[in-house]
Amino acid sequence: MIEEILPPGVRSAEAFDDLAPAPLFPEEAALMTGRRQRRRAQFATARACARRTLAELGLPPAPLLPGPGGAPRWPDGVVGSITHCDGYRAAVAARRTDVTALGIDAEPAGPLPRGVLGLIASTTERTALERLGERAPGVCWDRLLFSAKESVYKAWYPATGRWLGFTEAEVRLSPTGTFTADLHPLTPPPRGAVLRFAGRWLVRGDLVLTSVVGDAFRPEPVSGCGLSPGGAPGP
């Protein structure tokens, strides 16, 4: 499913449960010491997905340990991203020569908790969400905006080592299944940092999925306006 919103050159793997064997490297298992079984299973399945993407790039399995900020440290020359939520785990990876930055996010397809939108969205973004809601009321646009900004952060932080607040990214969602994000970091970014991301989104069943890449990829509209056939979330 996630492959539907990814450009060429990006490898992906996903799982909808934790039933398949997903052995961890000792260093990874140590990170899960004392964690609840549910969290350990999610972590292991997501890492298994990540190793599948690396295998598709011709790379051997390796531990994926968190770096500064908690983002996974990928092998040299590789960019990647991992996400998981209830009922879904996924990982993507690409050669750095093909994609400059990469981020994905999965969220439950339901409204944000009360009060959250005001913390993550600008006045312009909230006005745009109202218009989108009138045009396509079956989409949880506030949750989609949140997911898009999560994807942006996951691409931004590993590339720059800088935090980015929700309000430092101005996201423009399109009903065609694409979005753009213009970044306005409060502190000067490193020279050459990507300040504009192109992304895609998809609503399928109980899930909202978003992906972004750096300036190496220009998005094309997703068929069905980002939704499953029929213009509404599918099974």
Side-chain angles (χ1 to χ4, degrees), residues 61-227:
L64 292 171
L65 303 176
R73 293 198 300 262
W74 295 83
D76 290 342
V78 173
V79 294
S81 184
I82 294 174
T83 188
H84 60 79
C85 67
D86 287 346
Y88 190 76
R89 298 87 172 86
V92 296
R95 297 281 184 181
R96 195 176 295 274
T97 52
D98 295 327
V99 172
T100 58
L102 181 60
I104 61 169
D105 186 64
E107 300 287 336
L112 288 174
R114 185 183 300 273
V116 173
L117 182 62
L119 300 176
I120 70 162
S122 68
T123 300
T124 300
E125 288 172 327
R126 292 196 296 273
T127 299
L129 293 186
E130 292 176 3
R131 292 173 179 168
L132 288 167
E134 294 172 356
R135 181 171 179 178
V139 178
C140 291
W141 292 103
D142 57 345
R143 181 74 69 168
L144 187 53
L145 179 70
F146 176 86
S147 181
K149 293 197 175 192
E150 285 286 300
S151 285
V152 168
Y153 180 78
K154 289 181 180 181
W156 165 264
Y157 185 85
T160 64
R162 305 285 184 89
W163 295 101
L164 187 75
F166 281 107
T167 58
E168 295 173 72
E170 188 79 15
V171 171
R172 295 175 178 84
L173 297 167
S174 167
T176 62
T178 65
F179 64 90
T180 59
D182 291 295
L183 309 191
H184 307 283
L186 296 179
T187 57
R191 178 173 295 181
V194 175
L195 296 177
R196 182 178 175 84
F197 288 92
R200 289 178 174 176
W201 63 265
L202 180 69
V203 176
R204 183 70 54 76
D206 296 329
L207 293 170
V208 167
L209 303 179
T210 57
S211 70
V212 298
V213 297
D215 54 5
F217 165 57
R218 296 177 63 84
E220 297 177 356
V222 178
S223 61
C225 298
L227 303 172

